[in-house]
Amino acid sequence: MAADYRRRELLEFSDDLHHDDVPPLQAFLAARLGEVVEAQREGSAIRFAAERLADLTDEDCVHLADLLGAWGEVVDDGRVDVPGETQRLRQDVMIWWQRLCDTADGFRDHPDHNPRWRGLRFLNLAHAELMASLTDAAGGVYGDGAHP
C-alpha cells in the first residue's frame, strides 16, 4: 500500500494528504493572519482576538502535521483498512484539513492562495463509492419513496 501513497498534484481524497502539505498552508495562514493582527490597534480587543486566532491556527497546523505523520506510518505499515483507531485517524485528518482550508478560504483572493487548499468530501475512492451507493440521483437516501 505504501507505493500508492505518493504526493498528488490534484487532491481528491483526504487519504492523499501528506505531512508536506501542511508547511505551505501554515506559512500562508501565518502571513495573512499576521497582517490582520498588525492592522489592529495595540491593546485592543480586536487585536487580542486576531492574535488568538493566529495562535490557534498555527497550533491546528502543528496538530494536522502530527496526524499526517501518524497517517504516513499507518500507510507504510499497510494498516489503512484496520477498523477503529485507524479509521478515526483518517477522519481526523479530513476534519482538521477542512478547518484550515476554511480559514484559508477567507483569503482566497490573495495571490499566494493555492487552490489545493480546499475541503475534501471523501476519505478515499471506496468512501466516495459508498456514499454514491447510499443516495439516489436527487441526493436522498430513500430511493423513489418518501421518508418513512
Side-chain angles (χ1 to χ4, degrees):
M1 182 65 192
D4 294 349
Y5 188 55
R6 63 186 185 283
R7 195 166 191 282
R8 290 171 169 59
E9 237 4 82
L10 176 65
L11 283 176
E12 264 189 286
F13 307 114
S14 63
D15 280 7
D16 296 332
L17 288 165
H18 283 253
H19 184 273
D20 293 344
D21 285 306
V22 178
L25 178 57
Q26 185 174 18
F28 175 81
L29 289 170
R32 303 296 73 77
L33 293 172
E35 292 165 356
V36 172
V37 168
E38 290 304 315
Q40 308 311 313
R41 184 176 45 82
E42 191 81 38
S44 69
I46 294 173
R47 184 173 180 128
F48 170 77
E51 289 170 339
R52 283 301 294 142
L53 177 60
D55 290 345
L56 292 170
T57 300
D58 189 62
E59 290 171 12
D60 284 357
C61 289
V62 171
H63 183 66
L64 177 60
D66 289 346
L67 291 172
L68 287 168
W71 178 246
E73 291 175 15
V74 165
V75 172
D76 288 345
D77 293 346
R79 296 181 287 127
V80 296
D81 293 321
V82 175
E85 286 187 41
T86 297
Q87 296 308 313
R88 182 63 208 181
L89 174 62
R90 74 182 348 150
Q91 290 169 357
D92 284 350
V93 164
M94 190 161 79
I95 290 166
W96 289 88
W97 176 256
Q98 180 70 43
R99 285 173 54 122
L100 292 167
C101 289
D102 286 347
T103 303
D105 190 57
F107 303 102
R108 68 185 162 278
D109 293 331
H110 190 279
D112 293 336
H113 185 272
N114 187 333
R116 182 179 182 83
W117 301 328
R118 61 185 176 78
L120 302 167
R121 294 185 59 205
F122 305 108
L123 303 169
N124 52 33
L125 181 59
H127 180 229
E129 290 171 345
L130 172 68
M131 296 310 290
S133 75
L134 296 176
T135 60
D136 64 12
V141 296
Y142 299 106
D144 294 332
H147 184 283

